[in-house]
Amino acid sequence: MKVAVLGGDGFVGWPTVLHLSNLGHEVHIIDNLSRRWIDTELGVQSLTPMDSIQERCRIWYELTGRRLHFHLIDIAKDYQLFRQWLAENKPDSIIHFAEQRAAPYSMKSDRHKVYTVNNNVNVTHNLLTALVETEIDAHLVHLGTMGVYGYSSVGAAIPEGYLDVEIENLAGEKKEMEILYPTKPGSVYHMTKSLDQIMFQFYAQNDGLRITDLHQGIVWGTNTDQTARHEQLINRFDYDGDYGTVLNRFLIQAAIDYPLTVHGTGGQTRAFIHIQDTVRCIELALSDAPKAGDRVKIFNQMTETHRVRDLAEMISKMTGAKIANIPNPRKEAPENDLIVKNDQFLALGLNPITLKQGLLSEVVDIAKKYAHRIDRKRVPAVSAWTKDIATRVETDPEGTRLKSVS
Ligand code: NAD
Ligand code: USQ
């Protein structure tokens, strides 16, 4: 199968590219390398030393004899070029990772909010309208987020995308409806993912596009079977306060003897998935495409839920790291429960990898190996959700810890 991976140079995209190429698919990467530019803007780098995308592709070819094709296209801005690429290449499937994905980055300033909305909404819409225009019947698999639901499960499990509701009409009769589970985004980034959902719904119903939306939890870990095959195939690893995600951050913090940065009480419960399971889920989703005219197929792509403070305690016990409860720069519920359904992937044969000491220690070991590349000043998360929060939270003069100024 010919697969286009939009955003194939990123943290989840790159291991997916290798996984699919290893399965024998013809893989095309489309990426504008904006993520690498954002590292430059922020003055940070991946914990792991990443080669250029061209070099990564060359190494994979030397190792396996399988070619990866890279195309430098900004899908949000170069609509004509992208449409032409689609028309000429006619992929069977398209996997869409190409969005600005960090909630803290999306909340840094008005400029970052505008960039995130322009980029994410335009990429998704350009892709959808180009598929209609070129009449390419590719199966589109999008990486969405658990965050579209908000994180409260009100004691009932969050279903996979759709909710059955009963509404009373004017005649007093009860009518049943199936609706998209109500969105409750907690950042501008998560808001763009909620807008994506509406665009998918429209194009599936209006044009018969075949779409799968994967509502993914927080991805942890770094290597997969394929990225581990050669030092130069190494995956990126974000540790900084904008792009680093909570579990991976705690693991590198433990490796460099930095107190684990728990926001508030750490009562936030979130959904998680290991990077190896992510690539497996994408393989499974590709094998289970909807038909033209079907509603958007939505999967919850997560394997377990954890409370932030429990993760910190587990890593502290494992490594001896200290825990620092710091003022939360985000506007979010300080405590929440979260129950999530993921029956569809289990039915398709996913055998979940759960938090095991071995896998956690592996990440700590990688972090220790590259600890010299970590700038401790880039570890605190300083992006505040509101101006009011920004006045109450700041970094101390060494830039190593957050403190409350009130
Ligand atoms: P990433 O930032 O590492 O990768 C995204 C890639 O898309 C980058 O290589 C970037 O250069 C590219 N890109 C962005 N805008 C583009 C544009 N206009 N044109 C072409 N390429 C563009 O992010 P990631 O962690 O790999 O996440 C991939 C997807 O998975 C995202 O859509 C994200 O919302 C979703 N997701 C990620 C996680 C996670 O924990 N990392 C969890 C849930 C969902
Ligand atoms: N947190 C801490 N300490 C830290 C970093 C984060 O306590 O040092 C807390 C946050 O306040 C939040 C939780 O951990 O309550 C998760 O934060 P995160 O940065 O790990 O995850 P999030 O911002 O939600 O975003 C990540 C990805 C995003 C994806 C999302 C899936 O960056 O692309 O969509 O996870 S989900 O969380 O399920 O919505």
Side-chain angles (χ1 to χ4, degrees), residues 101 145-147 151 189-190 218 246 249 261 263 330 332:
R101 70 101 175 132
T145 175
M146 286 297 304
Y151 305 102
Y189 153 70
H190 287 100
I218 301 170
V246 64
R249 271 165 65 72
T261 53
H263 292 167
R330 306 185 184 203
E332 60 185 359

Side-chain angles (χ1 to χ4, degrees), residues 100-104 143-151 187 189-190 193 215-219 239-250 253 260-272 301-302 308-309 311 324 326 328-334 336 338 379-381 385:
Q100 190 303 98
R101 70 101 175 132
L143 269 290
T145 175
M146 286 297 304
V148 295
Y149 302 123
Y151 305 102
S187 73
Y189 153 70
H190 287 100
K193 292 288 188 178
H215 289 184
Q216 184 169 239
I218 301 170
V219 181
Y239 71 87
D240 61 285
D242 287 310
Y243 275 87
T245 51
V246 64
L247 179 51
N248 275 0
R249 271 165 65 72
F250 286 173
Q253 289 168 351
L260 310 183
T261 53
V262 173
H263 292 167
T265 59
Q268 309 91 320
T269 308
R270 293 292 181 271
F272 292 85
Q301 185 162 312
M302 49 71 70
V308 166
R309 64 169 166 263
L311 292 177
I326 56 178
N328 196 343
R330 306 185 184 203
K331 192 165 182 172
E332 60 185 359
N336 71 286
L338 186 63
V379 174
W385 257 231

